[in-house]
Amino acid sequence: MSTTTKNKFSTYLLVLTALFATLTYVAGLIRLPIGPVPFTLQTAVVIMAGILLSPTAAFLSQLIHFFLQFILGGGIALFLSPTFGFILGFMVMAFVISLAVRRLSKATFLNLLVIAIIGEVILYLIGLPYMAYILLQVKGLDMGLMAILNAGLIPFILPDLAKAVLAIVIALRIKPRVNL
């Protein structure tokens, strides 16, 4: 690969990384408030980033998203938000999905769905404890385990599955055009 081609490829990858960061941020602006954690389309974008980008680029897209949230969305108060753990989880989720996709011999819909579900589990393993900490320790709410699960997990399971299906369908359609 010539230097010119390599530089164009690097610029192209940087643009895609920034695009997914921006798409994740914008998807978070479209929200349905149903509790301490709103319903957004962000997880669909994170899944697409994981499918389409390299592990490093997928992680960086969500790291940039974090900085966008910090700068445009609330500054230091972001760390005290019940949703902050999910923002951190997006970075790990995108990285793990991308890593798993790159290890597949064939990226079928079913394979990608299993990987997306694993990514969602990772997201909840990071986001839920942080949400619980903020709600219980910082805000002093009196909530049991079921109340925490009802606030940050149970109402999201089916919508997240639907978003995963949507993200996979879109990613499979555009993957040949992304050319990475």
Side-chain angles (χ1 to χ4, degrees):
M1 183 183 301
S2 73
T3 305
T4 307
T5 306
K6 187 175 181 183
N7 288 340
K8 285 182 184 177
F9 179 75
S10 296
T11 302
Y12 180 67
L13 186 58
L14 287 173
V15 168
L16 283 177
T17 302
L19 175 66
F20 276 102
T22 305
L23 287 173
T24 307
Y25 181 81
V26 171
L29 297 176
I30 305 164
R31 55 181 50 215
L32 182 65
I34 61 172
V37 178
F39 175 83
T40 70
L41 296 175
Q42 289 175 301
T43 53
V45 178
V46 175
I47 291 168
M48 284 190 294
I51 293 171
L52 297 172
L53 300 176
S54 69
T56 302
F59 175 83
L60 287 175
S61 73
Q62 298 313 304
L63 180 63
I64 295 167
H65 165 253
F66 159 71
F67 285 119
L68 287 172
Q69 284 285 349
F70 184 80
I71 293 166
L72 303 174
I76 297 295
L78 179 66
F79 295 102
L80 299 176
S81 167
T83 61
F84 182 68
F86 294 98
I87 294 169
L88 294 175
F90 288 158
M91 292 180 235
V92 179
M93 179 185 182
F95 180 80
V96 169
I97 289 173
S98 181
L99 202 60
V101 167
R102 264 87 208 135
R103 293 178 187 235
L104 289 175
S105 59
K106 184 170 178 164
T108 65
F109 177 84
L110 187 57
N111 290 341
L112 294 176
L113 184 60
V114 169
I115 290 170
I117 291 170
I118 291 168
E120 291 280 357
V121 169
I122 290 167
L123 175 66
Y124 285 109
L125 287 173
I126 296 168
L128 276 174
Y130 194 92
M131 182 194 81
Y133 174 77
I134 294 298
L135 294 177
L136 299 174
Q137 301 299 318
V138 176
K139 296 190 182 227
L141 299 179
D142 184 22
M143 300 174 77
L145 177 61
M146 281 311 297
I148 294 291
L149 295 177
N150 282 324
L153 174 67
I154 294 170
F156 295 95
I157 293 172
L158 289 178
D160 279 350
L161 187 58
K163 290 185 284 184
V165 168
L166 176 68
I168 293 165
V169 168
I170 293 170
L172 287 172
R173 293 284 310 242
I174 64 174
K175 190 169 179 67
R177 292 174 181 87
V178 171
N179 195 23
L180 286 177

